[in-house]
Amino acid sequence: MKKNAAIILLILGTVSCAGINVKNVRENSNEIDAVKKAGLIIRISRDVRVGREDYVRSIAHWIAGLRPEKNLLFVSDSNDKLTYFAGDDERFYQVTEDGDYLKFKSLGVVNLYIRDNREELKKIVDGNSLDGLFIYEIYGVIANEMQFIDYDTSLVMLNKKLDVIYMDRQHFNDDTNEIDFDRLKIKYLDSVSDRLTRTLIDLDFLEK
């Protein structure tokens, strides 16, 4: 993969977004500390009203307002298999019908994602001289007619050998008086971007 196929951002690590509860699934602090340059892949559903470019733009704006501690690379031209999931069974965030989180099923989906995309992931890591790779998965609903937003996310971090060294999960919903879709979309994008940047602060990639 060409180095100029990604946008290089120099960036700077706790997660405590207002009203957003981020829970760790797996964390290897020594392995995380060893990563000095990481790539960032945004993974979303194909069937959404918000495009991947909207997420990338919003997240880039939030990151640019913080001070870098480590290098972060937006991976811009990765294979669709890396950046989109087609159905609930492919999501990193797995739950029961009652909404209870399924830790080992979720880890299993991540492991299968790595196995099925190992060659492409290695190209990204090796082609950009990365020590690690973040995959930020987002699934959200913007219901301007019913005046609420609802989303869940999972951030996964891999080392250069493509082992999972960090994984978290988070769910958020909020009622709003806003009925304009474009305004609600901005609020939604700000929320998912804020959640990510706060985690990157906790992981010592960014500093306020």
Side-chain angles (χ1 to χ4, degrees):
M1 180 179 178
K2 295 180 181 179
K3 289 187 179 180
N4 61 5
I7 304 168
I8 296 181
L9 295 175
L10 295 177
I11 311 194
L12 219 158
T14 275
V15 181
S16 183
C17 308
I20 299 175
N21 186 15
V22 178
K23 298 181 179 179
N24 284 1
V25 178
R26 175 173 291 179
E27 183 172 8
N28 185 324
S29 298
N30 291 334
E31 290 270 10
I32 294 168
D33 290 343
V35 176
K36 306 304 180 185
K37 182 181 180 183
L40 173 62
I41 295 173
I42 308 300
R43 186 174 192 248
I44 64 171
S45 171
R46 288 188 179 276
D47 185 24
V48 291
R49 298 172 72 182
V50 181
R52 186 170 174 273
E53 65 279 1
D54 294 315
Y55 289 107
V56 171
R57 187 183 306 111
S58 177
I59 290 168
H61 288 166
W62 277 76
I63 284 175
L66 298 165
R67 291 197 296 168
E69 278 221 350
K70 298 182 180 180
N71 292 348
L72 191 66
L73 177 83
F74 264 118
V75 180
S76 61
D77 70 341
S78 52
N79 190 299
D80 280 3
K81 289 178 64 178
L82 297 181
T83 55
Y84 294 98
F85 55 88
D88 288 344
D89 59 330
E90 296 180 8
R91 293 172 57 193
F92 296 166
Y93 195 105
Q94 291 290 316
V95 296
T96 66
E97 291 184 359
D98 295 326
D100 296 325
Y101 182 71
L102 297 171
K103 174 181 177 178
F104 295 107
K105 185 177 181 182
S106 298
L107 286 166
V109 173
V110 172
N111 288 336
L112 290 175
Y113 170 90
I114 296 168
R115 186 198 68 181
D116 293 344
N117 298 288
R118 178 169 290 276
E119 183 177 349
E120 182 69 16
L121 292 169
K122 283 297 291 179
K123 283 182 182 179
I124 293 170
V125 171
D126 295 341
N128 294 284
S129 302
L130 303 177
D131 303 315
L133 194 61
F134 286 105
I135 304 129
Y136 185 40
E137 181 185 274
I138 311 159
Y139 179 76
V141 175
I142 302 175
N144 54 308
E145 302 90 349
M146 300 178 67
Q147 298 178 303
F148 75 88
I149 60 174
D150 185 282
Y151 68 86
D152 51 53
T153 64
S154 183
L155 181 65
V156 174
M157 186 180 186
L158 311 178
N159 62 16
K160 60 184 176 183
K161 295 186 294 184
L162 304 182
D163 299 322
V164 178
I165 59 175
Y166 177 85
M167 181 174 175
D168 67 27
R169 63 183 176 95
Q170 167 268 330
H171 176 258
F172 178 75
N173 61 73
D174 185 33
D175 294 326
T176 175
N177 293 324
E178 184 58 68
I179 60 173
D180 182 86
F181 176 78
D182 290 334
R183 291 179 180 176
L184 202 54
K185 175 182 170 182
I186 292 172
K187 178 178 180 178
Y188 164 76
L189 287 170
D190 281 342
S191 186
V192 297
S193 301
D194 185 30
R195 173 277 202 259
L196 174 62
T197 55
R198 288 176 182 267
T199 307
L200 292 174
I201 290 170
D202 283 351
L203 296 175
D204 292 326
F205 271 77
L206 295 171
E207 184 179 29
K208 291 183 179 179

